[in-house]
Amino acid sequence: MNLDARRIRVVAAFITSDEGRRVLVQQRPPGKQRALLWEFPGGKVEAGETDARALRREAIEELGVELEVGAERFHVTHTYPDLEVDLHIYQARFVAGTPRPHQSGQVLREVPLHELGTLPFCEADRPLVEALLAETSEGPGRLPG
């Protein structure tokens, strides 16, 4: 790890629809680090929060929805020049609300799993995208992590 980079724990939601054939992704807004790259919805875990609580909070703040958080699907650590991200992705589903971006310039899309590779994702999310594409082409399996 770059000694100047700070380490953060990030949680994200893996939310599917259409019997698991589509997944919700969001584009980072202009002006932010990694602007216009795609990622799975979520955010930083604050001190004293569990992953599930952080993910439910982020869903309300960023999407205006309430989530039920399930099992962890994937975990990866990635070092950017400015940041080391400890990313945990959880299966989740909506229990209330309709997702809408709450940040200016943020875009939400439900993408067919087989098309995930066509979007420019944040580097930390790419291992999950690659695993999902492999799972889609090979049939159901266990994601690495």
Side-chain angles (χ1 to χ4, degrees), residues 10-26 39-43 51-52 55-56 58-59 63 65-75 87-95 99 108-117 121 125-136 139-144:
V10 174
V11 291
F14 184 74
I15 303 167
T16 60
S17 62
D18 192 21
E19 297 180 358
R21 292 187 291 259
R22 300 175 75 78
V23 63
L24 183 69
V25 294
Q26 66 185 20
E39 63 186 358
F40 297 92
D51 286 359
L55 194 48
R56 287 191 300 269
E58 288 285 348
L63 307 175
V65 297
E66 291 181 31
L67 289 181
E68 177 183 286
V69 179
E72 183 171 326
R73 290 281 311 262
F74 192 77
H75 169 249
L87 175 63
H88 297 261
I89 299 180
Y90 290 85
Q91 188 72 43
R93 70 177 189 89
F94 300 122
V95 293
L108 293 176
R109 281 182 55 190
E110 278 192 338
V111 178
L113 286 175
H114 68 275
E115 291 181 13
L116 283 176
F121 270 84
D125 293 90
R126 287 183 193 155
L128 175 59
V129 170
E130 291 168 11
L132 288 167
L133 291 172
E135 182 181 87
T136 300
R142 174 84 176 113
L143 291 177

